[in-house]
Amino acid sequence: MISAFYCFILSAAMFSLGILVFVIKKNFFLMLIGLEIMINSCLLLFISSGNYWNDALGQIIYIFIITISAVEVCINLSLLFKFYKINNTLNVNSLSELKK
């Protein structure tokens, strides 16, 4: 069994990677992937901390967040397809041109 310390370290590393991808990349799809990495690192933290304290609350929060995350992915992908259909690019810098 993996100790909680390693899960916390892995979760922090995944969250840092997600922030890095979200901040550095200007592609809308890659930013969405970075956001999903951050959400999954939080889910790993909830599961491992729930296991550490022998509490089922971490698993309940996991199910709740994974449900909301699935809805969030559906909405973001629909926005991404619409954005690509209008601009033929996924560059976030072209979002400012939508106001015109």
Side-chain angles (χ1 to χ4, degrees):
M1 181 163 176
I2 300 172
S3 73
F5 177 73
Y6 294 121
C7 289
F8 294 155
I9 295 295
L10 179 64
S11 176
M14 285 175 59
F15 194 82
S16 301
L17 179 68
I19 285 178
L20 190 68
V21 168
F22 191 80
V23 170
I24 289 177
K25 296 296 181 182
K26 298 295 180 195
N27 189 327
F28 193 42
F29 184 69
L30 293 177
M31 290 175 71
L32 183 64
I33 289 175
L35 185 67
E36 290 302 316
I37 290 172
M38 287 190 285
I39 290 173
N40 285 327
S41 71
C42 292
L43 292 176
L44 177 65
L45 186 64
F46 280 122
I47 290 292
S48 60
S49 58
N51 187 27
Y52 180 73
W53 284 300
N54 291 328
D55 191 9
L57 187 61
Q59 295 172 359
I60 293 170
I61 292 173
Y62 170 79
I63 292 171
F64 181 72
I65 292 177
I66 202 77
T67 305
I68 291 174
S69 176
V71 173
E72 176 253 335
V73 166
C74 291
I75 292 171
N76 282 338
L77 283 177
S78 65
L79 287 173
L80 185 131
F81 287 134
K82 186 71 175 178
F83 181 72
Y84 184 75
K85 187 177 179 181
I86 292 173
N87 296 329
N88 288 332
T89 183
L90 293 178
N91 192 351
V92 179
N93 292 333
S94 62
L95 276 175
S96 61
E97 297 174 4
L98 290 178
K99 290 182 180 179
K100 298 176 184 176

